[in-house]
Amino acid sequence: ARGLPAPHAPVWFMRQAGRSLPEYNELRRGISMLDSCLRPDLAAEITLQPVRRHRVDAGIFFSDIMVPLKLAGVSVDIVPGVGPVMDAPVRTASEVEALVAHHMDDLSPIAEAVGIVTRELASTPSGDASWTPLIGFAGDPFTLAAYLVQGRPSKDHLAARAMMHADPASWDALL
């Protein structure tokens, strides 16, 4: 921030770095975003690419905020140039009830990918540390619920706001 030299590149500067790397584009060619997130070998490799190339101060786990929805049985796709699009928005009390009753699918691909990444990061020096940290991220309940109700990205979230006011019990259950 002060323009002074640093021993490594700050990780948040590199949040989207992987998407500009030729090796990322080659690895992802023909594979959807969410499928890439749920393949442990790909998620791990994509996480590690910016760390290797730019020696950032931490790795950011390659994932997407839509992964929990996909694992909850929601038919969602990340459409290039649009963002997350649901096959069917969740707008009624019965649709909310069916969704929240669904048990998450197998989470082992995420655990496996994290294991691969942490093993490699533990052997990758970062600055004075003997290991490089791994950062994860997640979507907050409002964001995921708004996408579910809207069915796609929205600047005004009218459908979500309508549900909040018209059916607060369903909105609360969805959150």
Side-chain angles (χ1 to χ4, degrees), residues 4 18 29 37-38 41 51 68 71 73 78 87 108 111 116 121 126 134 151 157 162 166 171-172:
L4 301 174
R29 186 170 287 122
C37 295
L38 294 171
D41 59 328
V51 175
L71 292 175
I78 309 296
D87 279 355
S108 65
I116 294 167
L121 291 179
S126 174
L134 176 63
H157 304 292
W171 178 256
D172 288 347

Side-chain angles (χ1 to χ4, degrees), residues 18 21 23-24 27 44-54:
L21 298 179
E23 57 267 36
Y24 167 84
L27 196 60
E45 178 59 25
I46 293 168
T47 298
L48 294 165
Q49 286 175 348
V51 175
R52 290 187 201 117
R53 180 182 277 250
H54 300 293

Side-chain angles (χ1 to χ4, degrees), residues 65-74 99-108 110 144:
I65 65 169
M66 293 294 125
V67 166
L69 298 184
K70 183 152 180 91
L71 292 175
V74 173
L99 178 61
V100 299
H102 183 86
H103 294 284
M104 288 287 228
D105 288 340
D106 183 15
L107 301 174
S108 65
I110 307 299
L144 295 176

Side-chain angles (χ1 to χ4, degrees), residues 77-159:
D77 189 25
I78 309 296
V79 177
V82 176
V85 176
M86 316 302 144
D87 279 355
V90 176
R91 295 192 176 148
T92 67
S94 61
E95 291 167 344
V96 169
E97 188 177 317
L99 178 61
V100 299
H102 183 86
H103 294 284
M104 288 287 228
D105 288 340
D106 183 15
L107 301 174
S108 65
I110 307 299
E112 186 179 336
V114 168
I116 294 167
V117 171
T118 55
R119 282 189 296 280
E120 181 152 338
L121 291 179
S123 64
T124 307
S126 174
D128 296 333
S130 60
W131 54 275
T132 301
L134 176 63
I135 297 172
F137 65 94
D140 64 81
F142 175 86
T143 300
L144 295 176
Y147 273 119
L148 280 167
V149 174
Q150 201 69 40
R152 61 187 309 112
S154 169
K155 294 195 184 305
D156 56 22
H157 304 292
L158 286 177

